Amino acid sequence: MKTVPTTPFDDQKPGTSGLRKQVTKFQQPGYLENFVQSIFDSVPELSGGTLVVGGDGRFFNDRAIQTILSMAAANGVKKALVGQAGFLSTPAASCVIRKYGAAGGFILSASHNPGGPSGDFGIKFNGQNGGPVVESVTDKIYARSLEIDAYKISDNPPVNLDTLGTHQINGMRIEIINSVTDYANLMEGLFDFDAIRNMFQSGFEICFDAMHAITGPYAKEIFVNRLGAPSESLMNAVPLPDFGGGHPDPGPTYAKDLFSKMFNGDMPDFGACSDGDGDRNIVLGKQVYVSPSDSLAILTANAHLVKAYAKGISGVARSMPTSRAADRVAEKLGVECFETPTGWKFFGNLLDAERITLCGEESAGAGSDHVREKDGLWAILMWLNIVAVSGKSVEDILHGHWQEYGRNYYSRHDYEGVEKSKAEAVMDRVAHQLDTLPGQTFKGETVLKADSFAYTDPIDGSVSKNQGMRVEFESGSRFVLRLSGTGTVGATLRLYLENYTPPTGDLHADVQTSLSSLRDIADEIANIKSILGRSEPSVIS
Ligand code: VG1
Ligand code: CO
C-alpha cells in the first residue's frame, strides 16, 4: 500500500448522474484516483463495509475497476463484489448493493454517450439504498476533490475479473459474481413469467436491440433462457468496448435498424431497446413508439395488472420536464404525484419513504421501488406483462390510454455542443422576464406562470434551486428550458415542449406540427435561435 501525492482537479463536480468526461480526461494521471479518493474520504461507511463495482463494459471499464479495487483495499473496504468481466448494468448494480447490504457501489458508465478511446467515460457512486447519493453527499465529494492532496492505493497485480471466484488483496476479499443472476431472479419475482412465456410460445414476436451495450447478456438470460424467446429476437446483444462504433442511445436517431423493423414490412409485435448502462428503455409496437412520458403514465395506469404491483401503488413521481400525462393517471387513481428535478437521485428519498412506487423521466427512464435506479429491462418486462395479461397490443394500449385521458403532445429539442456563455445567456434572458411574463399573450397563448424550478425534498427538507425555467400558459401548454448536466463537450440546452389535447380532440396529429406554435413562442421569449446562432436543434426527440 502507498500514499501518492496528488493535486486537485477542479472539474470534478458530479453532474446529473455522476462524473462524466471524455476518456482522455480519465486517462490523465491521478484524475480517476482523485475522484475515487474524494468519495472514500466523504463516505466513511465504506471503510469496513462491502463495496459493489461494475460497469457497462465500455473502453477503460477494466482499467478503472482495477484502480478502484486497489484503492478500496487501501481504504479499508472489507469486501468487494465485482460483476464478471467487470459487467454490471446500472439497475443490476443497484439490485446487488441492496441484496447484499453493501455500503455503496461504483458504477462505471457514461450511459448513452459513445464509448471507445475517443468517446466518454463516467463514474457514479451509489449509496447503501442502491441509488445515486443525494446532493449533500455529492457536494461533499466535490468539496473534498478541491482540497485533496493524496490518494491511497495498494500495490497489487491485476485481479482476474473474467472468472468467477474469490481473491484477496491487502486484507480485502474480492468476489467475482455472475453479473446477471441476481438481477434476473429479481425480475422473475416481480413479473408473471408464465404469462409472458405462453405469449411467446403462441407466436408473439419481439425484437430487442441491446445496441452492443450492457443489456445483451441480461436480455439473453431473461428473454431467451427464461422466457423462451428465439435467440434471433435479440439484436446487437454482445457488449463491445466501443458499442460497435454506435451511440447506445435508445431512440429513432441511433436505434435505426430496430425502428425500421418496427415500422416497415413484416414487423414483430413488440420492439424495445435500452442504453449503454441499461437504465433507459424505449418500447415500440407495430408502427408506433411510446414516448417515455406516455410510458410512465401507462405503466402507472396498468400497474395493478402486474404481480408485484397488484395491490396498487402508493404514488408516482416524474422529473419536472417530463410531460404531465402521469399526473392525470395519479389523479384518477387518487394517489400522490411528485414533480422532482431531473436525475434519479431525487426519487430515492420518496421511494425509501414508500411515498411512491413508480417514477420516471422523459429521457427514456422508468423504474419502481424494486431498485433505486431507472431500469430499462424492468420497464420492458412491465409492458410485456401488461400486454400478456390484457391481451391488448402495444398500439391498442397506447391509443386506448389517449382515448381515456387525452394526449399530452410532447417533444424535447436539444441544442448540443453550444458555448456555455451563450447557453447561459438564453437562461438569463428568461430569468429576467419571470416577473413580467404572467398575463402577457403570445400567438393567442397567455402566460399563467413562469418560474425557476426549485424543489424542496418532502422527506429531508433539502432544497435544490435553479432546476430549470418553466413557462406555463392558461391553455395548459408549457415549455421548459434547462442546461444538461451530462454533456461532455460545451453546453447542451434542452427545450421541452408540451401541450394537451382532451379525448374529444385530434389524438393522432403530427407531434412537431402540434407543438410548432409553442416552439415559436418559446423562441420569441428566450431568443434561442439568435443567441445560439442555430436555426435548428441538434436532436429532436
Ligand atoms: C440526462 C437526462 C436525465 C437523466 C440523465 C442521466 O440528463 O435528461 O433525465 O436522468 O441524463 O441518464 P441531462 O442533465 O443531460 O439532461 V443516464 O441514462 O445518462 O444515467
Ligand atoms: Co443510462
Side-chain angles (χ1 to χ4, degrees):
M1 190 184 116
K2 58 188 178 187
T3 301
V4 183
T6 183
T7 42
F9 292 88
D10 62 8
D11 62 348
Q12 293 186 326
K13 191 169 177 57
T16 315
S17 52
L19 183 67
R20 202 171 288 185
K21 299 281 176 193
Q22 287 159 307
V23 165
T24 46
K25 257 256 140 93
F26 275 100
Q27 288 170 325
Q28 287 176 53
Y31 191 87
L32 173 71
E33 290 85 346
N34 272 11
F35 188 68
V36 171
Q37 186 64 49
S38 299
I39 294 171
F40 282 119
D41 291 348
S42 310
V43 187
E45 307 86 87
L46 289 172
S47 172
T50 298
L51 178 72
V52 172
V53 190
D56 65 5
R58 67 178 61 224
F59 180 81
F60 203 62
N61 193 49
D62 43 2
R63 283 275 311 279
I65 291 177
Q66 296 293 350
T67 301
I68 291 168
L69 290 176
S70 298
M71 290 184 64
N75 280 281
V77 170
K78 203 168 149 214
K79 184 160 95 177
L81 299 174
V82 187
Q84 189 176 10
F87 289 175
L88 277 178
S89 75
T90 287
S94 185
C95 158
V96 172
I97 293 171
R98 294 167 67 78
K99 182 166 177 179
Y100 298 101
F106 286 101
I107 305 174
L108 307 161
S109 170
S111 193
H112 56 288
N113 294 23
S118 54
D120 291 337
F121 190 74
I123 172 166
K124 52 186 170 181
F125 177 69
N126 284 20
Q128 57 169 9
N129 73 347
V133 284
V134 294
E135 268 189 344
S136 57
V137 180
T138 57
D139 287 349
K140 210 164 149 191
I141 294 167
Y142 179 56
R144 178 68 191 143
S145 79
L146 295 175
E147 58 185 32
I148 191 166
D149 58 8
Y151 61 84
K152 294 181 211 156
I153 190 158
S154 119
D155 240 337
N156 58 281
V159 176
N160 176 0
L161 304 176
D162 292 329
T163 319
L164 298 180
T166 60
H167 307 266
Q168 199 81 28
I169 53 174
N170 243 1
M172 179 178 81
R173 179 182 166 87
I174 300 174
E175 291 177 17
I176 309 297
I177 61 168
N178 184 299
S179 312
V180 175
T181 309
D182 291 312
Y183 177 81
N185 291 346
L186 176 64
M187 293 300 116
E188 195 155 358
L190 297 174
F191 299 108
D192 187 344
F193 271 34
D194 289 339
I196 303 174
R197 197 181 300 110
N198 288 341
M199 178 170 77
F200 288 172
Q201 242 157 31
S202 67
F204 185 93
E205 280 180 26
I206 65 162
C207 180
F208 174 75
D209 187 353
M211 306 192 81
H212 285 305
I214 192 66
T215 47
Y218 294 85
K220 189 164 178 235
E221 173 63 15
I222 294 171
F223 295 136
V224 179
N225 298 350
R226 300 199 187 192
L227 291 169
S231 52
E232 307 80 72
S233 313
L234 309 184
M235 295 165 72
N236 306 319
V238 178
L240 298 173
D242 66 348
F243 306 121
H247 228 98
D249 189 352
T253 314
Y254 299 109
K256 275 208 179 71
D257 292 349
L258 174 73
F259 273 72
S260 87
K261 235 186 154 102
M262 295 305 299
F263 279 85
N264 302 295
D266 195 11
M267 51 225 112
D269 300 287
F270 186 100
C273 49
S274 60
D275 71 334
D277 60 330
D279 55 0
R280 298 186 180 202
N281 81 93
I282 289 283
V283 163
L284 302 95
K286 290 188 178 186
Q287 291 186 313
V288 292
Y289 96 92
V290 185
S291 87
S293 295
D294 279 347
S295 185
L296 175 65
I298 291 168
L299 295 183
T300 305
N302 294 285
H304 62 280
L305 299 176
V306 176
K307 192 166 85 181
Y309 312 99
K311 289 202 192 92
I313 59 163
S314 61
V316 60
R318 60 165 174 81
S319 68
M320 183 273 281
T322 303
S323 101
R324 291 161 297 173
D327 304 30
R328 295 173 200 285
V329 179
E331 200 185 335
K332 183 157 184 198
L333 294 176
V335 299
E336 278 191 294
C337 181
F338 297 88
E339 183 173 50
T340 60
T342 295
W344 214 259
K345 60 183 165 227
F346 296 99
F347 295 134
N349 280 348
L350 295 168
L351 289 164
D352 286 347
E354 298 180 13
R355 291 283 286 274
I356 58 167
T357 307
L358 303 178
C359 44
E361 296 190 289
E362 50 70 37
S363 54
S368 89
D369 56 1
H370 69 290
V371 290
R372 293 294 179 274
E373 283 280 2
K374 54 186 184 263
D375 188 344
L377 286 168
W378 168 88
I380 294 162
L381 286 162
M382 277 294 275
W383 269 94
L384 284 171
N385 199 150
I386 291 165
V387 168
V389 302
S390 70
K392 291 184 191 153
S393 66
V394 172
E395 310 82 273
D396 289 348
I397 293 172
L398 178 66
H399 297 153
H401 188 87
W402 293 340
Q403 269 151 23
E404 183 171 356
Y405 293 92
R407 180 172 180 190
N408 288 66
Y409 283 96
Y410 183 84
S411 181
R412 182 173 106 183
H413 292 197
D414 295 330
Y415 296 84
E416 295 177 338
V418 300
E419 272 172 54
K420 204 166 166 243
S421 59
K422 290 184 178 169
E424 281 165 356
V426 174
M427 297 299 282
D428 284 349
R429 194 181 143 89
V430 181
H432 285 128
Q433 298 175 75
L434 291 178
D435 293 339
T436 53
L437 278 173
Q440 285 191 53
T441 302
F442 301 85
K443 292 181 188 290
E445 292 265 17
T446 305
V447 178
L448 180 67
K449 45 185 189 210
D451 68 354
S452 168
F453 180 54
Y455 177 69
T456 305
D457 187 296
I459 312 301
D460 66 18
S462 61
V463 178
S464 306
K465 290 189 177 154
N466 300 323
Q467 299 295 322
M469 299 293 169
R470 296 190 287 194
V471 179
E472 197 179 325
F473 299 86
E474 282 175 0
S475 64
S477 300
R478 68 168 189 171
F479 73 85
V480 169
L481 275 167
R482 62 177 281 280
L483 299 179
S484 156
T486 60
T488 58
V489 184
T492 294
L493 179 77
R494 303 202 197 283
L495 168 66
Y496 308 80
L497 303 164
E498 176 185 2
N499 65 26
Y500 174 68
T501 298
T504 47
D506 181 2
L507 300 172
H508 297 274
D510 175 69
V511 176
Q512 298 307 323
T513 310
S514 162
L515 294 166
S516 70
S517 168
L518 183 60
R519 178 185 175 181
D520 292 344
I521 296 172
D523 197 51
E524 189 179 336
I525 293 172
N527 225 350
I528 304 168
K529 288 182 193 162
S530 91
I531 295 177
L532 301 184
R534 301 249 180 120
S535 58
E536 287 299 322
S538 348
V539 181
I540 293 183
S541 51

